[in-house]
Every structure is written in structure tokens, then in C-alpha cells.
Amino acid sequence: MLIRRASSIKPSEITSHDLFLRRREFLRGAGWAVAGAALAPTLACGAEDEARPPAPVAGADANPFRTDETPTALEDATRYNNFYEFGTDKSDPQRHAGSLRTRPWSVAITGEVAKPGTIDLDALLRPHTPEERIYRLRCVEAWSMVIPWLGIPLAEIIKRFEPSSNARYVAFRTLLDPEQMPGQRSRVLDWPYVEGLRIDEAMHPLTILATGMYGQVLPNQNGAPLRLVVPWKYGFKSIKSIVEIRLTRSEPPTSWNRQAPREYGFFANVNPDVDHPRWSQKRERRIGEFKKRATLPFNGYADQVAALYRGIDLRKYF
Ligand code: MTE
């Protein structure tokens, strides 16, 4: 999925609003419930899905975050997940994340800001109507999905707390509560899950805090009630169920970099030219497709984000 400037998008390449309205009807018809929904068994990575979404329909729409790529089937996006707080198997989050209570929920904004504070999620949403944007997420394990997210640009939230000139990075932290998140009773990762971005990455308009997907509230297994989406980076940067956003002077630790520094760097920009130590990053399988496709630099968002990394050796800083 590519995000292009509005002026460069042909009407035939834009997914119409009608498609999204019809998707909602489809979801309602299927009786899909949000958090903790009981869905049928997991599909394996790359397996052919049966319930395909409707093909995109051409139409005029000025939203530059729309694309002509066909969204991944909802069933795949909600049954094939990584969320180690609920188990390490791809099907565990869908089966176990129902134990997470997503209300009340607050997020602390701390560190290098003039006005640190805690915001209640509903209060945060009240002045906002989350925007719908379709982004492709690419995982290191060489599969990708195209998801219509509902979210709020992270920059809008950070700006409210008035970052100081010392704020060079943004650190994120997931809830730590082994009672609600049974996977945290095992030592598979160093809990809580943490992630980080450089401040310019965090303030980029492509970066959102997602509160929903496919026109509905975010299912628990996908990171309810609030998760990060950074579409030009590998999926592990998309930290779920966030309770703290901290602005910092120095580079914050990240869970997967701490776990396996040779395999997972801080930047984690999608880069077909840098192999993962155990496999190539050159090709990927779109969930729902059989034939592999070439992986694009920055996951197809090079026009928008390559300038952030000018002068940086991305083979060294992967
Ligand atoms: N966030 C938390 N808190 N815990 C996790 O285990 N897994 C990451 C990321 N965010 C993870 C997390 C990884 S490895 C991936 S690939 C994405 O979530 C998967 O997002 P999805 O399940 O919505 O596709």
C-alpha cells in the first residue's frame, strides 16, 4: 500500500467511501462483536482466506491516506496476531485477550513536556473523530496485511502536552498486569512491552494512535484500546494497549531490540536490502495471496519518509 500526495492520486486508484460503508454492513451482518469476540480458528500465515472483502470501487475522494489496495480479510487480521501478553502462538491473542479490560483506560504523558498529565481515553477521543486510513503493515516474518485503521495522528496528542526542546525521542509502554495479561507470567519477554520512536518519526503525519479498524472499535487482540501504527516500519514497532507515552532526551529501550539486538534494531524501517540474520527481507506474502511480492523500501512510503533518514547508513542503523 502506498500513500501518495493527494495531487498524484488518480480517481481510479482511490477506494471509495461506499466500500467502507458496505464493509460496515458486512460486519454488522456477520454479527461481529468487538473486544474478545469468539471467532473461528486461526488461519495459518499466507493461507488462502475464504471470506474476502469486496474489491475496491473507484470513486472521487480527497483523502490522501486511501489506496487502491484490497484490504486484508477482517478474519485474518483478527485471528493471526502477535501479542505476547496473551501467548506466543499467533492464535493465542484472539483466544485469550478477552480478559483485558479496556475501560476505564488512561494514558500518562510524561517526561520532557511542559504539561505532563494523564488523559482518560474517552476524554481523549471526545474532541476527535478518529480518521480512517488504510495502511499496510509488514512483519519481519515476511508477511503483510492491508488494514483500514481508525486513528488519531500521534502528533496532535503530543502537541497538547507541549514538548520541550529536550524531547528527542518518544517512549511507549504497554500495561503491566499479569492478572489481565496472563502471558506476562512467563519470562518470554522482559515486561512491560516497550517501544520507541525518534521525535520526528513520532510527529510524522503517517504515524497514528489507532483506536479502531474496519470501522469498528479495536478488537482486544489487535491492541485495544490504543495502539501505535507506524506504516513504514516493521510490525513489532506497533506497540499495543499503551498506558504511557514518555518524551525523552535519549534513545529509549525497545522490547525486541533488548531481546535480540542482532535481529531487531531501533529504527526497524522496512528495508529489503537488509536481511534478517535468519531470512531474507526481499519478498513478502500478502495474507490472502499466494504469490509472494517484492518488499518495497520503507514499505512503499519512501516518498513520505525517506528524507527523515538522509545521511544515515540504514544498513548499520537497521
Ligand atoms: N505490543 C505488545 N504490547 N505486545 C506484543 O507482543 N507484538 C508486536 C506488535 N505490538 C506486540 C505488540 C508485533 S511482533 C507485531 S508483528 C504486531 O504487534 C502485530 O500486530 P497485529 O497483531 O495487530 O497484526
PDB file of all heavy atoms in Angstrom, residues 32 34-35 102-103 150 211-220 224-225:
ATOM      1  N   TRP A  32     -20.437  -9.390  13.929  1.00  0.00           N
ATOM      2  CA  TRP A  32     -19.109  -9.296  14.530  1.00  0.00           C
ATOM      3  C   TRP A  32     -19.159  -8.417  15.768  1.00  0.00           C
ATOM      4  O   TRP A  32     -19.626  -7.296  15.727  1.00  0.00           O
ATOM      5  CB  TRP A  32     -18.137  -8.700  13.506  1.00  0.00           C
ATOM      6  CG  TRP A  32     -16.749  -8.626  14.019  1.00  0.00           C
ATOM      7  CD1 TRP A  32     -15.979  -9.675  14.400  1.00  0.00           C
ATOM      8  CD2 TRP A  32     -15.971  -7.458  14.201  1.00  0.00           C
ATOM      9  NE1 TRP A  32     -14.751  -9.223  14.801  1.00  0.00           N
ATOM     10  CE2 TRP A  32     -14.722  -7.869  14.692  1.00  0.00           C
ATOM     11  CE3 TRP A  32     -16.193  -6.091  14.006  1.00  0.00           C
ATOM     12  CZ2 TRP A  32     -13.706  -6.979  14.988  1.00  0.00           C
ATOM     13  CZ3 TRP A  32     -15.180  -5.212  14.297  1.00  0.00           C
ATOM     14  CH2 TRP A  32     -13.949  -5.660  14.784  1.00  0.00           C
ATOM     15  N   VAL A  34     -17.029  -6.664  19.061  1.00  0.00           N
ATOM     16  CA  VAL A  34     -15.681  -6.157  19.295  1.00  0.00           C
ATOM     17  C   VAL A  34     -14.991  -6.983  20.370  1.00  0.00           C
ATOM     18  O   VAL A  34     -15.154  -8.200  20.402  1.00  0.00           O
ATOM     19  CB  VAL A  34     -15.713  -4.649  19.627  1.00  0.00           C
ATOM     20  CG1 VAL A  34     -16.107  -3.867  18.404  1.00  0.00           C
ATOM     21  CG2 VAL A  34     -16.630  -4.366  20.770  1.00  0.00           C
ATOM     22  N   ALA A  35     -14.205  -6.343  21.200  1.00  0.00           N
ATOM     23  CA  ALA A  35     -13.330  -6.981  22.172  1.00  0.00           C
ATOM     24  C   ALA A  35     -13.697  -8.404  22.576  1.00  0.00           C
ATOM     25  O   ALA A  35     -14.775  -8.672  23.074  1.00  0.00           O
ATOM     26  CB  ALA A  35     -13.267  -6.113  23.418  1.00  0.00           C
ATOM     27  N   THR A 102     -10.686  -2.884  28.888  1.00  0.00           N
ATOM     28  CA  THR A 102     -10.212  -1.705  28.152  1.00  0.00           C
ATOM     29  C   THR A 102     -10.863  -0.398  28.603  1.00  0.00           C
ATOM     30  O   THR A 102     -10.573   0.652  28.061  1.00  0.00           O
ATOM     31  CB  THR A 102     -10.432  -1.899  26.636  1.00  0.00           C
ATOM     32  OG1 THR A 102     -11.823  -2.133  26.413  1.00  0.00           O
ATOM     33  CG2 THR A 102      -9.635  -3.088  26.112  1.00  0.00           C
ATOM     34  N   ARG A 103     -11.750  -0.472  29.598  1.00  0.00           N
ATOM     35  CA  ARG A 103     -12.329   0.730  30.212  1.00  0.00           C
ATOM     36  C   ARG A 103     -12.482   0.482  31.704  1.00  0.00           C
ATOM     37  O   ARG A 103     -12.885  -0.619  32.059  1.00  0.00           O
ATOM     38  CB  ARG A 103     -13.710   1.077  29.646  1.00  0.00           C
ATOM     39  CG  ARG A 103     -13.728   1.623  28.234  1.00  0.00           C
ATOM     40  CD  ARG A 103     -12.994   2.953  28.089  1.00  0.00           C
ATOM     41  NE  ARG A 103     -13.268   3.545  26.793  1.00  0.00           N
ATOM     42  CZ  ARG A 103     -12.725   3.168  25.634  1.00  0.00           C
ATOM     43  NH1 ARG A 103     -11.844   2.199  25.598  1.00  0.00           N
ATOM     44  NH2 ARG A 103     -13.056   3.787  24.514  1.00  0.00           N
ATOM     45  N   LEU A 150      -8.723   3.119  12.163  1.00  0.00           N
ATOM     46  CA  LEU A 150      -9.308   4.369  12.647  1.00  0.00           C
ATOM     47  C   LEU A 150      -8.325   4.892  13.688  1.00  0.00           C
ATOM     48  O   LEU A 150      -7.953   4.151  14.607  1.00  0.00           O
ATOM     49  CB  LEU A 150     -10.661   4.116  13.313  1.00  0.00           C
ATOM     50  CG  LEU A 150     -11.801   3.771  12.359  1.00  0.00           C
ATOM     51  CD1 LEU A 150     -13.021   3.313  13.143  1.00  0.00           C
ATOM     52  CD2 LEU A 150     -12.154   4.977  11.498  1.00  0.00           C
ATOM     53  N   THR A 211      -7.422   3.529  17.311  1.00  0.00           N
ATOM     54  CA  THR A 211      -8.451   3.174  18.296  1.00  0.00           C
ATOM     55  C   THR A 211      -9.486   2.228  17.680  1.00  0.00           C
ATOM     56  O   THR A 211     -10.378   1.756  18.368  1.00  0.00           O
ATOM     57  CB  THR A 211      -9.176   4.438  18.791  1.00  0.00           C
ATOM     58  OG1 THR A 211      -9.684   5.139  17.646  1.00  0.00           O
ATOM     59  CG2 THR A 211      -8.238   5.361  19.557  1.00  0.00           C
ATOM     60  N   GLY A 212      -9.348   1.984  16.374  1.00  0.00           N
ATOM     61  CA  GLY A 212     -10.304   1.105  15.706  1.00  0.00           C
ATOM     62  C   GLY A 212      -9.745   0.570  14.403  1.00  0.00           C
ATOM     63  O   GLY A 212      -8.669   0.976  13.958  1.00  0.00           O
ATOM     64  N   MET A 213     -10.464  -0.372  13.825  1.00  0.00           N
ATOM     65  CA  MET A 213     -10.120  -0.884  12.495  1.00  0.00           C
ATOM     66  C   MET A 213     -11.383  -1.399  11.825  1.00  0.00           C
ATOM     67  O   MET A 213     -12.342  -1.764  12.509  1.00  0.00           O
ATOM     68  CB  MET A 213      -9.036  -1.970  12.586  1.00  0.00           C
ATOM     69  CG  MET A 213      -9.354  -3.151  13.479  1.00  0.00           C
ATOM     70  SD  MET A 213      -7.904  -4.159  13.859  1.00  0.00           S
ATOM     71  CE  MET A 213      -7.907  -5.311  12.503  1.00  0.00           C
ATOM     72  N   TYR A 214     -11.427  -1.354  10.494  1.00  0.00           N
ATOM     73  CA  TYR A 214     -12.590  -1.795   9.724  1.00  0.00           C
ATOM     74  C   TYR A 214     -13.867  -1.124  10.228  1.00  0.00           C
ATOM     75  O   TYR A 214     -14.921  -1.744  10.320  1.00  0.00           O
ATOM     76  CB  TYR A 214     -12.738  -3.321   9.786  1.00  0.00           C
ATOM     77  CG  TYR A 214     -11.565  -4.084   9.195  1.00  0.00           C
ATOM     78  CD1 TYR A 214     -10.441  -4.349   9.963  1.00  0.00           C
ATOM     79  CD2 TYR A 214     -11.595  -4.530   7.875  1.00  0.00           C
ATOM     80  CE1 TYR A 214      -9.355  -5.042   9.433  1.00  0.00           C
ATOM     81  CE2 TYR A 214     -10.515  -5.215   7.338  1.00  0.00           C
ATOM     82  CZ  TYR A 214      -9.408  -5.476   8.115  1.00  0.00           C
ATOM     83  OH  TYR A 214      -8.347  -6.148   7.599  1.00  0.00           O
ATOM     84  N   GLY A 215     -13.752   0.141  10.606  1.00  0.00           N
ATOM     85  CA  GLY A 215     -14.937   0.899  11.002  1.00  0.00           C
ATOM     86  C   GLY A 215     -15.488   0.548  12.370  1.00  0.00           C
ATOM     87  O   GLY A 215     -16.590   0.974  12.710  1.00  0.00           O
ATOM     88  N   GLN A 216     -14.740  -0.220  13.155  1.00  0.00           N
ATOM     89  CA  GLN A 216     -15.234  -0.662  14.470  1.00  0.00           C
ATOM     90  C   GLN A 216     -14.184  -0.380  15.540  1.00  0.00           C
ATOM     91  O   GLN A 216     -13.041  -0.098  15.219  1.00  0.00           O
ATOM     92  CB  GLN A 216     -15.487  -2.178  14.441  1.00  0.00           C
ATOM     93  CG  GLN A 216     -16.410  -2.655  13.324  1.00  0.00           C
ATOM     94  CD  GLN A 216     -17.873  -2.413  13.628  1.00  0.00           C
ATOM     95  OE1 GLN A 216     -18.251  -2.207  14.772  1.00  0.00           O
ATOM     96  NE2 GLN A 216     -18.701  -2.423  12.598  1.00  0.00           N
ATOM     97  N   VAL A 217     -14.607  -0.521  16.789  1.00  0.00           N
ATOM     98  CA  VAL A 217     -13.658  -0.406  17.902  1.00  0.00           C
ATOM     99  C   VAL A 217     -12.576  -1.476  17.738  1.00  0.00           C
ATOM    100  O   VAL A 217     -12.848  -2.578  17.259  1.00  0.00           O
ATOM    101  CB  VAL A 217     -14.419  -0.598  19.243  1.00  0.00           C
ATOM    102  CG1 VAL A 217     -13.454  -0.722  20.407  1.00  0.00           C
ATOM    103  CG2 VAL A 217     -15.375   0.555  19.467  1.00  0.00           C
ATOM    104  N   LEU A 218     -11.359  -1.137  18.124  1.00  0.00           N
ATOM    105  CA  LEU A 218     -10.237  -2.073  18.001  1.00  0.00           C
ATOM    106  C   LEU A 218     -10.506  -3.345  18.816  1.00  0.00           C
ATOM    107  O   LEU A 218     -10.803  -3.266  20.003  1.00  0.00           O
ATOM    108  CB  LEU A 218      -8.999  -1.365  18.566  1.00  0.00           C
ATOM    109  CG  LEU A 218      -7.604  -1.764  18.106  1.00  0.00           C
ATOM    110  CD1 LEU A 218      -7.453  -1.615  16.599  1.00  0.00           C
ATOM    111  CD2 LEU A 218      -6.574  -0.916  18.821  1.00  0.00           C
ATOM    112  N   PRO A 219     -10.403  -4.516  18.198  1.00  0.00           N
ATOM    113  CA  PRO A 219     -10.527  -5.749  18.992  1.00  0.00           C
ATOM    114  C   PRO A 219      -9.347  -5.860  19.975  1.00  0.00           C
ATOM    115  O   PRO A 219      -8.256  -5.382  19.677  1.00  0.00           O
ATOM    116  CB  PRO A 219     -10.453  -6.868  17.951  1.00  0.00           C
ATOM    117  CG  PRO A 219     -10.714  -6.213  16.629  1.00  0.00           C
ATOM    118  CD  PRO A 219     -10.226  -4.802  16.765  1.00  0.00           C
ATOM    119  N   ASN A 220      -9.569  -6.486  21.103  1.00  0.00           N
ATOM    120  CA  ASN A 220      -8.503  -6.600  22.106  1.00  0.00           C
ATOM    121  C   ASN A 220      -7.220  -7.189  21.526  1.00  0.00           C
ATOM    122  O   ASN A 220      -6.119  -6.736  21.827  1.00  0.00           O
ATOM    123  CB  ASN A 220      -8.962  -7.473  23.276  1.00  0.00           C
ATOM    124  CG  ASN A 220      -9.878  -6.721  24.222  1.00  0.00           C
ATOM    125  OD1 ASN A 220     -10.343  -5.623  23.911  1.00  0.00           O
ATOM    126  ND2 ASN A 220     -10.157  -7.314  25.370  1.00  0.00           N
ATOM    127  N   ALA A 224      -6.311  -3.133  21.701  1.00  0.00           N
ATOM    128  CA  ALA A 224      -7.264  -2.224  22.334  1.00  0.00           C
ATOM    129  C   ALA A 224      -6.743  -1.764  23.698  1.00  0.00           C
ATOM    130  O   ALA A 224      -6.012  -2.487  24.345  1.00  0.00           O
ATOM    131  CB  ALA A 224      -8.619  -2.936  22.515  1.00  0.00           C
ATOM    132  N   PRO A 225      -7.102  -0.563  24.130  1.00  0.00           N
ATOM    133  CA  PRO A 225      -7.954   0.362  23.378  1.00  0.00           C
ATOM    134  C   PRO A 225      -7.148   1.328  22.490  1.00  0.00           C
ATOM    135  O   PRO A 225      -7.740   2.080  21.743  1.00  0.00           O
ATOM    136  CB  PRO A 225      -8.668   1.137  24.495  1.00  0.00           C
ATOM    137  CG  PRO A 225      -7.648   1.190  25.595  1.00  0.00           C
ATOM    138  CD  PRO A 225      -6.884  -0.098  25.526  1.00  0.00           C
TER     139      PRO A 225
END
